[in-house]
Amino acid sequence: MSTVLVEGGPDAGAIWHFGEPNAEQKVLLAGKGWVNLSHKSIISISGEDRLSWLQAITTQDFENVTQDVWSGALILDAQGHISHQFIFMEDGESVWIVTEKDKEAELIAYLEKMKFMFRVEIKNKSGEFALVRTPGQPDEFGGPFKLFSRGEFESFRNQILKDYKEVGIWALEAERVAAGRARILFETDHKAIPNELGMLGREVNMNKGCYPGQETVAKINNLGQPPRRLTLLHLDGSAVEMPGLGEKVFDGDKEVGFLGTSIRHHELGPIALAVIKRSVPISNTLIVKGVSANQEPISST
């Protein structure tokens, strides 16, 4: 079995695949695979005010979360732009947040700045805990997930390998792209708002009270459409190398957006997520680094 690691970017050091990416995708989608996500950042928030505090500063309804169930949330700036995206789980004593390693320091600094007089304690637990995408059918946040202490992880790995196959994050990313789920640092830029990325009703609870950026989210949702949209691209497969992250997307000679994640899917072939101007007709064939791409709408955007 040939293990290939991710060389750069937010997933650097993670296992990309074990030599059979197509087979690994099939195993994961069948609910028979698991993924080591120990490169992710783990933050714990304890203290009796943790839920009401997170309720006030994030897009999710923390005061009505279901214990031990993973969900997702965003932190927006005052203009509604996405600053942070994370998954989380409340276990009755702490909220466990999982975010990108590249965003860890920035998120912790923000949370510490927002503590004020709230009774909360923020700890970086990345060195003590590891996240696993466990076997099972994919949910709306890319799970199911489970946290393990670093000491428990090897015991878990040895036990689960008897019945399930470990797969690389290629399989997980292929599932995410095909499902049309945006990921921070990939399908976001400094202008990104949740309305254009299919996050309303998922990472953004539309029935909760005030939080930073809510006015922008509500106004665009109620009165109009965002200027851009997330779209799934089916690349023509003519290029040996896939177009890379951040490549410009063109409609004829006109630049209309940027490319997010591109990946080869075991059934769909070369696919990608892109953020493009909403005014571009869905029927138009787009061009990315000389490669033509047909659009497929993502229903939630």
Side-chain angles (χ1 to χ4, degrees):
M1 186 166 62
S2 177
T3 302
V4 177
L5 302 181
V6 180
E7 295 182 356
D11 293 320
I15 297 170
W16 186 225
H17 63 81
F18 290 96
E20 299 179 315
N22 284 347
E24 292 173 34
Q25 290 179 45
K26 295 176 184 177
V27 168
L28 187 69
L29 290 174
K32 301 296 184 180
W34 66 278
V35 187
N36 179 354
L37 297 174
S38 59
H39 64 291
K40 297 281 191 177
S41 176
I42 313 294
I43 300 167
S44 73
I45 301 176
S46 57
E48 57 188 285
D49 293 337
R50 65 187 182 279
L51 296 178
S52 59
W53 177 64
L54 288 166
Q55 178 85 356
I57 65 173
T58 77
T59 60
Q60 194 52 270
D61 185 3
F62 274 85
E63 293 184 338
N64 292 292
V65 296
T66 302
Q67 190 170 311
D68 298 323
V69 173
W70 287 91
S71 188
L74 305 172
I75 292 175
L76 310 179
D77 67 16
Q79 290 73 44
H81 302 128
I82 298 169
S83 298
H84 296 281
Q85 177 191 34
F86 55 86
I87 58 171
F88 70 90
M89 181 268 294
E90 156 70 17
D91 67 1
E93 296 182 355
S94 300
V95 174
W96 295 87
I97 286 176
V98 180
T99 190
E100 307 292 349
K101 199 70 176 177
D102 291 1
K103 299 288 286 185
E104 175 186 277
E106 180 187 342
L107 178 56
I108 290 175
Y110 174 82
L111 294 173
E112 289 287 355
K113 182 180 71 173
M114 298 300 291
K115 281 173 63 173
F116 303 114
M117 300 299 291
F118 285 93
R119 293 162 293 182
V120 295
E121 185 175 9
I122 302 155
K123 292 183 179 180
N124 186 341
K125 295 285 191 175
S126 299
E128 301 174 45
F129 289 86
L131 184 71
V132 169
R133 198 289 196 181
T134 53
Q137 293 302 307
D139 62 31
E140 60 182 341
F141 299 105
F145 300 108
K146 189 174 178 63
L147 271 181
F148 292 90
S149 70
R150 296 279 176 173
E152 295 173 330
F153 180 74
E154 281 305 314
S155 175
F156 157 80
R157 187 177 186 276
N158 293 335
Q159 183 63 35
I160 200 172
L161 282 175
K162 297 176 182 179
D163 301 305
Y164 299 98
K165 182 176 181 179
E166 183 177 3
V167 304
I169 64 167
W170 181 331
L172 198 61
E173 285 292 272
E175 186 274 323
R176 177 180 70 81
V177 172
R181 293 195 308 272
R183 180 180 173 189
I184 197 168
L185 301 177
F186 290 84
E187 286 77 46
T188 62
D189 59 9
H190 68 285
K191 299 186 296 182
I193 58 175
N195 307 63
E196 61 193 11
L197 298 179
M199 295 173 167
L200 304 189
R202 192 173 65 216
E203 285 94 342
V204 180
N205 186 292
M206 301 301 289
N207 298 314
K208 62 166 284 184
C210 295
Y211 56 85
Q214 184 192 30
E215 183 177 353
T216 297
V217 172
K219 182 177 180 180
I220 293 175
N221 183 59
N222 294 328
L223 300 179
Q225 296 287 353
R228 304 185 300 181
R229 59 178 167 84
L230 186 69
T231 190
L232 178 65
L233 298 182
H234 293 266
L235 306 172
D236 70 10
S238 60
V240 176
E241 293 187 4
M242 299 278 280
L245 178 67
E247 290 285 353
K248 297 176 180 178
V249 178
F250 291 88
D251 182 10
D253 295 330
K254 184 179 180 181
E255 182 182 339
V256 295
F258 69 91
L259 195 72
T261 309
S262 60
I263 203 157
R264 295 187 186 277
H265 189 276
H266 75 284
E267 287 185 337
L268 303 176
I271 57 175
L273 291 175
V275 179
I276 65 170
K277 293 180 179 179
R278 182 168 290 276
S279 59
V280 177
I282 196 71
S283 58
N284 285 16
T285 298
L286 306 180
I287 303 294
V288 188
K289 203 176 181 181
V291 176
S292 61
N294 294 321
Q295 303 176 67
E296 179 179 336
I298 296 172
S299 59
S300 56
T301 55

